[in-house]
Each structure stands twice: as structure tokens, then as C-alpha cells.
Amino acid sequence: MSSIELKRNPNRLEKNKSFVYKGVSYMHYADIAFHQSAYYLFTKKQKILIVVLLFAIAISFIVNWHTTLISAVIIVTSIYFIDFFFNFFLIFRSFTSKHELSFSGEEIKAYGKDWPTYTILCPLYKEWAVIPQFVDAMKKLDYPQEKLQILFLLEEDDLQSQKVVKEFNLPSFFETVIVPHSLPKTKPKAMNFALSKIKGEYCVIYDAEDVPDPLQLKKAILGFNLSGEKVACIQAKLNFYNPKQNLLTKAFTAEYSLWFELILPGLQTLNAPIPLGGTSNHFRTEGIKMLGGWDPFNVTEDADLGIRLFKKGYKTAILDSVTLEEANSDFLNWYNQRTRWMKGYIQTYVVHMRHPTTFDKGLLNSNMLLFQLIIGSKVFSLLVNPFMWLLTLSYFLFQFQFGSFVQSLYPPVVLYFAVATLVFGNFLQIVYYMIGCYRKKEFALCKYALIIPLYWVGMSIAAWKALYETFYKPYYWSKTKHGLHLEKPSIATNS
């Protein structure tokens, strides 16, 4: 394989060609435009815009720091208030407009026996403890085995996982793909390498700890047939098989229940860009190849791909079929995982704001504004939350010292909006978590939605670490330990 020195941005990442950037060699296996990749952060225009913005803020502070702070509070309060109404609207839509795909056993039987070929990609790294569970889950899939191709994507230096897979003496529809050691060492890079190995007309990604609905592949086929060519991806719902392990898994389950049972179905009713989950997203194989694969430099390649699909004019449909995963039960493990997710969201936002008009013609269009609400406002809120919490606590706990100053930052009209968001917005958000648990039939977890504010604190801390890593460790993939739900924690492994 040849190598090129990257001195200026060529038009595309060249497939099967490595490149050297800042003295480091990378092999990506992607075939996407450079401006669509997170291998670098800001374009020259973005850098100029940021410098101008920071300079303007600095000047405004020098001229009148108090007015500048008032302006900042007005902007933050407005974003909070808009986000509050947007979430309410999505929840409302999820109940009033049923758009997710759902199929009965009778409809599946009516399809007949001529099922198309299906490839399952399972990228894993040092996860030998959960391989037996994954093999068992794959064998339970209700799909003709002669039409299945299951690819274990194993890293070249992960000798233990290679050994464990060999010891299983698996049927012929299981195959092992050894991904050559190279940077970036990410899940999307491994999947790009495997694209040329796919034999199935359709393909899906499952993580090694996943336990999908046995009928999910058949439901996805029916979903593609029903939805038409414009639906390039079908996202199954995700949740957990260890929701009651501890307080963290209960809060995590409440979060997933809200996202997959209410928020994503609500987004689908708007034909909005949908950030995909990292697993159980089903594709037409030709479609994913046409897109050039995943961005190997984005650490939430799933969210990025969902936006890229949308900008190409394709849609993502939500399938009423659940894949169960392992809820993170260790706080540090969860924190590192959340940091990676937030870093990927930051990368996705910056990449797709390089050319915002690609969402549609013109800068101020509905699709671009939806992107701001779905990705931008979530990142912004988590980063700014600690400052607003500190401001609020200072007002109530240190009324004598800071009360009048905090009041001076809120003009009367802004204060009304801020109080409404603080009281009703946070209250309703907790209620939404309860509704998600109820809809998921996890009734015993509804009361644990009350601890979600503490969960938000952890998310904000992770967001700030993610911002740091975006600049200093952009491609670093913090490995998430799996197998913590097993009886012997010592066999937990990384992924």
C-alpha cells in the first residue's frame, strides 16, 4: 500500500492509501471527502471566525463587562428555553405521530422463505470475555444460516481474542477478519477495512456484548421493503439487560429509554437528521459503500454517519426491535465512555458546520436549525451548565453577598424565561425520563429519574474533558470495559 505526505488538503481520503500528517502515519481505509472527516478540526475560515469572535468578546468586556455578561445570560437563557420547547415538541410528536416501523409475526411469516443475504459486522478489541455471549446471541437469530455472514473484526495485536474465537470451532458463516495494526485505532477504521469483505446485500453492526431481538434482521428487511429507496439506514432501539445492577445503570437505562422510546421517534416524525447509535444500525450494503464508509477519525462515527446520510438526501427509520447491551456500572468507566461520546459530538458539529449550507440551500434553513438543536445545543448546554448552576447556587446560598449582582444580570423579561426554564423545564425533563421508563415497561425505574440531575453533573464534567481531548487527543478511543455484569468481575475486558 502506498503512502502520501499530506501537506495541504486534497479532495478526498484515498482508499487503501496511508498518509502522513504532522509526522504521524495513518491508514484509514475510507473513501470520503477530506472536509467530511474529523482528521483535522477547524478550516481556515472557521479559525478566522473564532479569532474574530473571541476578539469581539474581549473588546466588549473591556468596554462594558457588565453589559457583556447580561448579553451572555440572555443568549444562554434563550438557548435553554428553545431547547425546552423543542424537547416538549418531540415528546408530543412521539405520542401523536406513529412513524416507527413495527411488524407482527404474521407479517414476517407472510414474507416467505427467500430472505436476502445479510452480513453482521462485530468489531471488537480485547473483549474475549463477552465473545461466548455474542456467539450464543448470533446463533439464536431467526434467520437462514446459509444467508448469514458474521464477521469478527479483530485487531492484529489482539492475540487473545483471536485465540478465543478459534477455540470455538464456529460454523462456516462465522468468519474472522484481522485488521492490520495502524492509526487511528478506532472502530470505524476497522469497519472500513471490512467493507470489501462484505458479501451480504444488507449489513448491520453489533457490538460484542449485544443481544439483539432474534427477529431483528427479518424486521429490518421488511422495513427496507416498506420504506423505499430513500431510507438508507434502519436503526433498531437499544437498551440494557442489567438495568438494576446499581444506581448508575438505573440512570443509564432511564436515559436510553427516553432517547430511543421518545426522542428518536419524535425526530423521525420531522424527517430530521438522526445521529445513529453505535450498534444495531442496518444498511443496504451498496449504500454504505457508496458513502465511502465511516469517518475513521470521528470517535462517534455513528452520529456523524447519520448526519452525512441526511445531507445526501437519505433518511433513517426507527425499527421497533430492541438490542440489549450492557449498561455501564462503573462510574469511571462510564465517565470515559461519555467523554468519548461527547468528543465525537463536538467533532461531528465542527465538521458539519464547515459548510452549513450543505444541509439545504441558504444558511438559515430548517434542516440546519434542526442540526443546531440536535447536536449543537446539546454540546453547548453541557459545557455551559456548570456556570449557570454556580450562578443559581450563588444567588440562593449567598444572597447577601451575590444576590443583587446575579439579579442585575437578568432583565425582567429574561428572568421570567429563566425561571420558567429552571422550574418547569427541569421538572418536565425528569418527567420525560419517567415516561421513557414507563413506555419501556421498566416501571420500577421510574422513581430513579429523580437522581438524573446528579447524572447531568457527570455528563457536564465529561463534556469539558471531551473539549480538552478534542484539541489534544482527538483520535484517542477510550476503551470501555465490558463484562462488569458477569458474576466474576475479574474477567471484564476492554472494547
Side-chain angles (χ1 to χ4, degrees):
M1 293 183 183
S2 59
S3 177
I4 60 173
E5 177 70 30
L6 186 64
K7 295 181 179 179
R8 59 174 62 92
N9 297 346
N11 291 328
R12 303 188 71 79
L13 287 168
E14 296 184 62
K15 192 171 183 180
N16 294 332
K17 282 190 177 182
S18 64
F19 67 84
V20 178
Y21 180 61
K22 294 184 178 180
V24 180
S25 179
Y26 297 96
M27 174 61 77
H28 47 81
Y29 304 106
D31 186 23
I32 63 176
F34 259 96
H35 72 266
Q36 294 179 324
S37 174
Y39 93 98
Y40 69 96
L41 193 57
F42 298 114
T43 63
K44 185 177 180 180
K45 289 181 179 179
Q46 286 176 312
K47 289 177 181 177
I48 293 173
L49 179 63
I50 291 171
V51 170
V52 170
L53 182 61
L54 291 176
F55 182 76
I57 293 172
I59 293 297
S60 66
F61 259 100
I62 294 171
V63 173
N64 192 324
W65 64 269
H66 190 256
T67 300
T68 302
L69 285 178
I70 292 174
S71 300
V73 167
I74 291 173
I75 292 171
V76 172
T77 301
S78 300
I79 292 173
Y80 278 171
F81 195 74
I82 293 170
D83 190 59
F84 158 56
F85 265 103
F86 182 61
N87 285 333
F88 177 82
F89 182 65
L90 290 179
I91 303 300
F92 176 78
R93 291 282 295 183
S94 71
F95 279 98
T96 58
S97 301
K98 187 74 171 177
H99 280 213
E100 62 187 46
L101 299 168
S102 182
F103 301 99
S104 65
E106 288 73 19
E107 289 173 295
I108 294 173
K109 288 180 181 179
Y111 182 88
K113 297 183 178 180
D114 189 22
W115 297 97
T117 53
Y118 223 116
T119 296
I120 295 170
L121 300 175
C122 177
L124 58 92
Y125 186 55
K126 297 184 179 180
E127 299 180 81
W128 49 84
V130 291
I131 289 175
Q133 174 180 295
F134 179 79
V135 170
D136 184 59
M138 293 301 98
K139 288 181 176 180
K140 289 180 180 177
L141 289 174
D142 186 356
Y143 205 83
Q145 292 186 353
E146 67 274 10
K147 296 295 183 73
L148 273 180
Q149 179 194 30
I150 301 175
L151 299 181
F152 280 112
L153 312 185
L154 307 180
E155 295 288 339
E156 186 178 25
D157 62 340
D158 187 6
L159 301 179
Q160 182 64 28
S161 292
Q162 295 176 33
K163 178 183 177 183
V164 171
V165 170
K166 285 182 180 178
E167 289 175 349
F168 267 95
N169 193 25
L170 295 168
S172 60
F173 59 89
F174 283 88
E175 300 176 33
T176 299
V177 175
I178 305 299
V179 181
H181 175 68
S182 62
L183 295 177
K185 207 166 187 63
T186 60
K187 173 182 173 181
K189 190 276 298 284
M191 293 190 296
N192 286 336
F193 179 77
L195 269 180
S196 61
K197 318 290 183 184
I198 294 177
K199 299 175 183 176
E201 184 180 346
Y202 297 86
C203 62
V204 61
I205 299 100
Y206 288 135
D207 287 338
E209 80 277 12
D210 286 357
V211 180
D213 165 17
L215 289 170
Q216 189 174 111
L217 301 188
K218 289 183 175 180
K219 290 178 180 178
I221 295 297
L222 295 183
F224 280 118
N225 291 343
L226 180 67
S227 303
E229 292 297 321
K230 277 297 179 181
V231 171
C233 175
I234 290 180
Q235 172 70 67
K237 296 178 180 180
L238 306 179
N239 221 291
F240 303 115
Y241 44 68
N242 61 323
K244 300 174 184 178
Q245 188 172 345
N246 58 25
L247 281 177
L248 182 58
T249 63
K250 291 169 182 175
F252 208 169
T253 302
E255 179 191 16
Y256 259 42
S257 297
L258 170 61
W259 181 252
F260 286 99
E261 297 296 329
L262 300 174
I263 300 296
L264 284 190
L267 287 174
Q268 187 184 348
T269 67
L270 303 178
N271 290 320
I274 292 179
L276 302 177
T279 177
S280 302
N281 28 58
H282 300 252
F283 303 96
R284 291 185 175 92
T285 302
E286 286 305 311
I288 193 65
K289 288 182 177 179
M290 177 272 298
L291 281 170
W294 296 264
D295 179 6
F297 298 95
N298 191 313
V299 295
T300 52
E301 80 295 333
D302 40 11
D304 168 72
L305 183 62
I307 306 302
R308 279 202 286 134
L309 281 169
F310 180 84
K311 291 169 81 171
K312 287 285 188 180
Y314 295 102
K315 297 179 181 179
T316 296
I318 308 301
L319 180 66
D320 189 17
S321 175
V322 178
T323 295
L324 295 178
E325 300 185 302
E326 179 188 7
N328 224 319
S329 56
D330 176 80
F331 177 77
L332 183 59
N333 198 36
W334 173 89
Y335 173 70
N336 289 332
Q337 181 187 58
R338 187 61 52 137
T339 296
R340 175 171 61 81
W341 290 358
M342 290 310 306
K343 180 168 61 175
Y345 262 54
I346 294 170
Q347 290 174 323
T348 299
Y349 183 78
V350 172
V351 166
H352 291 284
M353 285 303 293
R354 290 170 181 167
H355 303 284
T357 55
T358 54
F359 282 98
D360 207 342
K361 292 182 179 179
L363 185 60
L364 294 177
N365 61 76
S366 59
N367 293 331
M368 200 275 287
L369 293 176
L370 281 170
F371 175 72
Q372 302 303 316
L373 290 169
I374 297 166
I375 302 292
S377 70
K378 304 307 180 190
V379 173
F380 177 83
S381 296
L382 287 174
L383 290 173
V384 81
N385 276 346
F387 300 101
M388 303 308 290
W389 292 334
L390 183 62
L391 204 62
T392 304
L393 289 174
S394 298
Y395 178 79
F396 287 107
L397 298 180
F398 306 101
Q399 176 73 32
F400 180 75
Q401 294 92 336
F402 301 109
S404 58
F405 170 70
V406 174
Q407 283 181 320
S408 71
L409 299 179
Y410 288 86
V413 175
V414 177
L415 180 62
Y416 299 146
F417 281 103
V419 171
T421 305
L422 175 66
V423 177
F424 297 108
N426 287 319
F427 171 75
L428 283 177
Q429 191 67 19
I430 291 172
V431 171
Y432 298 155
Y433 283 96
M434 292 180 175
I435 294 173
C437 290
Y438 188 86
R439 198 163 187 176
K440 188 59 189 163
K441 295 182 172 55
E442 291 285 0
F443 308 116
L445 298 185
C446 290
K447 59 180 177 291
Y448 292 98
L450 296 173
I451 66 172
I452 286 296
L454 294 175
Y455 193 75
W456 294 337
V457 173
M459 291 172 66
S460 283
I461 297 172
W464 275 100
K465 185 185 178 187
L467 184 63
Y468 167 81
E469 286 194 2
T470 300
F471 290 94
Y472 296 102
K473 296 196 295 184
Y475 320 136
Y476 172 65
W477 191 287
S478 179
K479 302 303 176 186
T480 304
K481 292 181 180 178
H482 290 302
L484 300 179
H485 67 291
L486 301 174
E487 291 184 1
K488 296 181 180 180
S490 60
I491 67 172
T493 57
N494 294 329
S495 71

